[in-house]
Amino acid sequence: MNFSKQIDAYVTGHVIDRTYRGVDFRDLTDEEIEDNAQAELDRLSKDEMYDLLEDLIYDEKLAANVKARIFGIDTEVEIR
């Protein structure tokens, strides 16, 4: 068996252990994340909301095009 088939067999057949000290873990679904985010949003005061949005704007890990989409900013400009 060549190397690429060995890698493919390992990746497709490998099961990740998602337990820690007997507790099972799983990733949240997209719907659960949206529900949790909405609950957090409902909990915030006006000042906390402002701080959150300001942190979002200056977050270096978040791509600029994602920030533009969040705030509804058109990223295309006319070339003259």
Side-chain angles (χ1 to χ4, degrees), residues 28-44:
L28 291 175
T29 64
D30 290 348
E31 185 176 285
E32 288 173 320
I33 291 171
E34 291 167 357
D35 291 345
N36 290 347
Q38 185 64 51
E40 184 68 18
L41 191 61
D42 293 342
R43 183 192 67 74
L44 294 175

Side-chain angles (χ1 to χ4, degrees), residues 1-2 6 10-12 14 19 22 27-28 33-34 37 39 41-42 45 50 54 58 73 75-76 78:
M1 185 187 305
N2 66 21
Q6 287 177 332
Y10 175 79
V11 170
T12 56
H14 186 71
T19 60
D27 290 330
L28 291 175
I33 291 171
E34 291 167 357
L41 191 61
D42 293 342
S45 70
Y50 180 85
E54 189 174 45
Y58 297 108
I73 300 169
T75 59
E76 294 180 349
E78 182 181 346

Side-chain angles (χ1 to χ4, degrees), residues 62-70 73 75:
L62 193 60
N65 62 339
V66 174
K67 295 174 190 178
R69 185 168 180 201
I70 290 170
I73 300 169
T75 59

